[in-house]
Amino acid sequence: VEPDHFTSALEFLLNRQNGVTTDALFGLANALRAVAAHHVKAPPAQLDLLRRISLGLEPEESRLGVRSEQRLEAFEDERVLAALLHLPRKLLDLAERKSVKPRNAKVMAQVAIAIEIELFAPLRLKNITELNLNQHIQEVQKQGKTHWIIRANRPDTKNSNKLTYVIPHDSVAFIKRAQRLYSQKGGWLFPGRGDRHKCERTLGDQITDKIESNLRTEFNTHLFRALGATLHLKDNPNGFEAVKAFLGDRDDTVIRKSYTSFADRHLIA
């Protein structure tokens, strides 16, 4: 099973469905991947590529779950939202104290970086965990100030859409300050064991732990995307198309189902 043929066949079927994936197409992708693994005996690197392509075809949930909506509602309180926005700097200030153990300082610095990035680039946990300074991040100069352009390529994203985000100068300076507290071996922004990036679950748990312990509210990393959508719709109640592009979703059906109530609430307010 050649990745190019695998991708071409799935793209053909996806285009016949007007670019909207389904459980059936996702199931077909996984079935072909199983053939590659158990019958063709494809090498691990090839199987990993097929896995990432398949994940891009997994259908979105039809709407936010009740629990996610409840967690999101906590950020209607401006004090809670402000606490999240200021948390990266709070964590880094603590991490830089000489009394903090190096390992704890490293974790706090990495969580601070992750939150800072998510506030401007609402990446899924998989994509932010895999960020590599040499592959996904371009440093550019604008009016004499350093900015980052973060790119997640189509094979690596859930919906097979290329994502591009700009991290502003002040945030880049903050991130570089945090980077001084640990080594980015292999170019990984969040290095793990050996020459690999950190495990998704590990980074996700560390982010969740720091946010929940500081904000005293339940959180999961997917809420960054939901929060980004609701904050945009708060100022632009009809901005569903912009949110679709911002999140990298294929259509705005899920977005409308999930966030219309939040948009209407702010429109009334």
Side-chain angles (χ1 to χ4, degrees), residues 66-83:
V66 173
R67 194 170 181 183
S68 292
E69 285 185 346
Q70 291 173 342
R71 289 173 173 174
L72 194 57
E73 286 172 352
F75 292 91
E76 293 285 299
D77 187 330
E78 292 182 351
R79 294 169 299 178
V80 178
L81 178 59

Side-chain angles (χ1 to χ4, degrees), residues 190-263:
F190 305 103
R193 294 181 179 178
D195 59 353
R196 294 292 296 163
H197 55 74
K198 183 171 286 191
C199 171
E200 286 179 44
R201 182 172 180 178
T202 299
L203 181 61
D205 287 347
Q206 290 171 344
I207 294 171
T208 299
D209 175 67
K210 294 301 181 187
I211 291 177
E212 290 187 343
S213 62
N214 281 274
L215 272 60
R216 303 298 179 186
T217 186
E218 289 189 357
F219 195 86
N220 62 52
T221 55
H222 191 73
L223 281 185
F224 282 119
R225 293 170 57 78
L227 187 58
T230 55
L231 290 177
H232 180 84
L233 292 171
K234 178 179 180 179
D235 295 326
N236 305 277
N238 294 314
F240 292 99
E241 281 294 323
V243 171
K244 180 185 77 170
F246 184 56
L247 298 182
D249 287 334
R250 288 188 175 277
D251 63 70
D252 62 3
T253 303
V254 175
I255 293 170
R256 289 183 181 277
K257 286 182 178 180
S258 298
Y259 305 118
T260 294
S261 62
F262 289 95

Side-chain angles (χ1 to χ4, degrees), residues 10 12 18 28 30 32 52 68 83 114 137 151 153 164 187 192 266:
L10 295 174
F12 172 77
N18 298 316
L28 175 62
N30 284 324
L32 292 174
R52 286 184 282 145
S68 292
I137 297 172
R151 295 183 176 90
N153 296 319
T164 303
H266 292 296

Side-chain angles (χ1 to χ4, degrees), residues 6 8 10 14 38 48 53-55 68 82 85 105 110 122 131 141 143 149 176 199 204 208 229 240 242 259:
F6 183 83
S8 296
L10 295 174
L14 189 64
H38 302 295
D48 182 62
I53 295 171
S54 298
L55 284 174
S68 292
L85 297 178
Q110 290 184 356
L131 282 179
Q141 293 289 319
Q143 299 180 336
I149 298 177
K176 288 191 173 186
C199 171
T208 299
F240 292 99
Y259 305 118

